[in-house]
Amino acid sequence: MRLLIYSGFNPRQRDNYGQTSLHLSCINGNLTSVKELCEQDGAELDLKDKNGKTPLMLASGRKHQDVIEYLRRQIKSKNSFIPKLDLLSIAFGPPGNSKVAILFFMVNVSCWGYPMYIIKCLPYTWYDLMVLHIIFFILNIVMWFSLFHASTTDPGYLPRNVPEYDLAIKQVAHFDEWKQGENPLSRLCHTCRLVKPLRSKHCRVCNRCIKVFDHHCPYIYNCVGYKNRQWFFIFVWSMFLLAMCTDFFAYYILSEEFDWAICIGAIEAGIATIGVTAVTSMMTFHMTSNITSNERINQKRYNYLKDGKGAFYNPFDKGPVSNFRDFFHMKRELTEKDVEILSL
């Protein structure tokens, strides 16, 4: 349905029975199409056909319960004079893109971690562990600096509504790949209306296509992509080292004297260390292998990650040193033609 609309089809056009695409979708019980049509500008939800039937009536007559419930919500929302205020979304972000994770991290560190460090740790261990404290200070600066940049830097948003998309849509009928069982539309993003470059992916949370998409991270409230992956890498490594320092501080104090507050902090730090270690190890492996989280998880979807026999092959992996340079933008990026040659 989305492809038809983007190709120029008018969803409000009526047939000989006075029915629009919305009427027909309700008859068939196609909830996906109903949602797509209702999201279009100027969608008429109460429009009657020549028999006086609205889309809701047609769905009710065929007992498509999911379509009925969705249409009722849409009609109620459309006819409401009072704008709906979602206070939770205002405070923490919309569903699927919540700020809870990053707010929890910042509040936990600022209101629990730092007070515990200043009150319980620093006065008792400064002279014994002065060098470690200095390292701890520096790592905190690095952590907040990298978090800020990872969170606010454009991860690699691709431009929308590019002319190549319209050209590709017009050429769909002429693709020989249809005969070979391949889908030439797999490289098209109908939301951003673009032809997706190699290694890019549409993030359903940000609702944008990201260059060299890795994953969407709620702890930085941003995607991790080509332009900010370096900052995210530094952030997770600084977090890992800070977690190790915190664990050592807790062990050092508890070995001298038992303290419930330090004990609770040590347990929390230990749990955090496990999670941070896993993420840091994963990011380090991906960096040294020149592969993204998305590619590793969904490798079977991408033909460019297969050799001539269909087995997994990573054409971007040129060794740890070369991959490191590529990760930090110290060398030329491989083009699609380069990948095709390497995959032969």
Side-chain angles (χ1 to χ4, degrees), residues 198 332-344:
L198 211 62
R332 183 181 70 87
E333 187 181 5
L334 285 179
T335 64
E336 295 194 21
K337 191 171 184 179
D338 295 333
V339 174
E340 290 178 4
I341 295 172
L342 291 169
S343 299
L344 293 177

Side-chain angles (χ1 to χ4, degrees), residues 27-281:
I27 291 173
N28 294 322
N30 191 330
L31 181 60
T32 303
S33 295
V34 170
K35 288 182 177 180
E36 188 67 39
L37 291 166
C38 288
E39 291 173 0
Q40 301 302 311
D41 294 334
E44 299 179 78
L45 306 184
D46 295 322
L47 186 65
K48 295 181 179 180
D49 61 14
K50 290 185 177 180
N51 294 320
K53 301 289 186 180
T54 65
L56 179 58
M57 292 178 182
L58 293 172
S60 300
R62 287 158 180 80
K63 299 181 180 180
H64 298 309
Q65 197 60 37
D66 52 349
V67 175
I68 295 170
E69 293 175 359
Y70 177 78
L71 283 175
R72 283 176 177 170
R73 290 196 302 269
Q74 291 298 309
I75 293 171
K76 182 179 179 181
S77 176
K78 184 178 180 181
N79 295 334
S80 176
F81 292 99
I82 303 174
K84 183 180 179 181
L85 293 177
D86 189 345
L87 297 179
L88 289 177
S89 294
I90 294 173
F92 300 111
N97 193 18
S98 175
K99 299 177 184 176
V100 170
I102 188 172
L103 289 176
F104 171 78
F105 168 76
M106 297 175 71
V107 170
N108 188 50
V109 171
S110 303
C111 299
W112 168 254
Y114 287 153
M116 285 287 294
Y117 172 75
I118 294 171
I119 297 171
K120 292 286 186 177
C121 178
L122 191 60
Y124 302 103
T125 61
W126 170 254
Y127 293 105
D128 295 336
L129 304 172
M130 185 181 298
V131 175
L132 188 59
H133 282 291
I134 294 173
I135 294 173
F136 188 78
F137 294 153
I138 295 172
L139 286 174
N140 270 278
I141 295 173
V142 172
M143 181 197 72
W144 288 111
F145 187 77
S146 58
L147 172 61
F148 172 79
H149 282 282
S151 180
T152 59
T153 300
D154 171 3
Y157 294 132
L158 295 170
R160 292 170 167 172
N161 303 314
V162 297
E164 290 80 7
Y165 174 85
D166 296 324
L167 180 62
I169 288 293
K170 294 176 182 178
Q171 296 296 322
V172 164
H174 305 288
F175 273 103
D176 292 334
E177 286 86 342
W178 285 115
K179 301 175 183 178
Q180 301 172 7
E182 298 180 9
N183 184 4
L185 300 178
S186 61
R187 294 285 299 276
L188 301 182
C189 177
H190 304 303
T191 302
C192 297
R193 295 176 63 85
L194 58 83
V195 181
K196 291 184 290 187
L198 211 62
R199 311 191 79 180
S200 65
K201 186 179 183 296
H202 184 87
C203 175
R204 62 182 180 179
V205 180
C206 296
N207 201 30
R208 291 291 299 272
C209 283
I210 312 295
K211 181 180 179 181
V212 193
F213 175 83
D214 192 275
H215 69 287
H216 184 91
C217 180
Y219 287 96
I220 65 170
Y221 197 60
N222 198 5
C223 273
V224 178
Y226 183 75
K227 292 185 178 180
N228 71 338
R229 61 186 181 183
Q230 309 88 338
W231 292 113
F232 182 76
F233 182 81
I234 296 171
F235 170 65
V236 295
W237 259 101
S238 61
M239 281 288 296
F240 169 72
L241 295 174
L242 282 169
M244 298 300 292
C245 289
T246 304
D247 291 337
F248 184 80
F249 284 141
Y251 170 78
Y252 187 87
I253 295 173
L254 289 174
S255 64
E256 297 290 331
E257 181 182 0
F258 183 81
D259 186 296
W260 275 109
I262 294 295
C263 185
I264 294 172
I267 294 173
E268 182 183 4
I271 296 173
T273 301
I274 295 173
V276 172
T277 301
V279 175
T280 305
S281 301

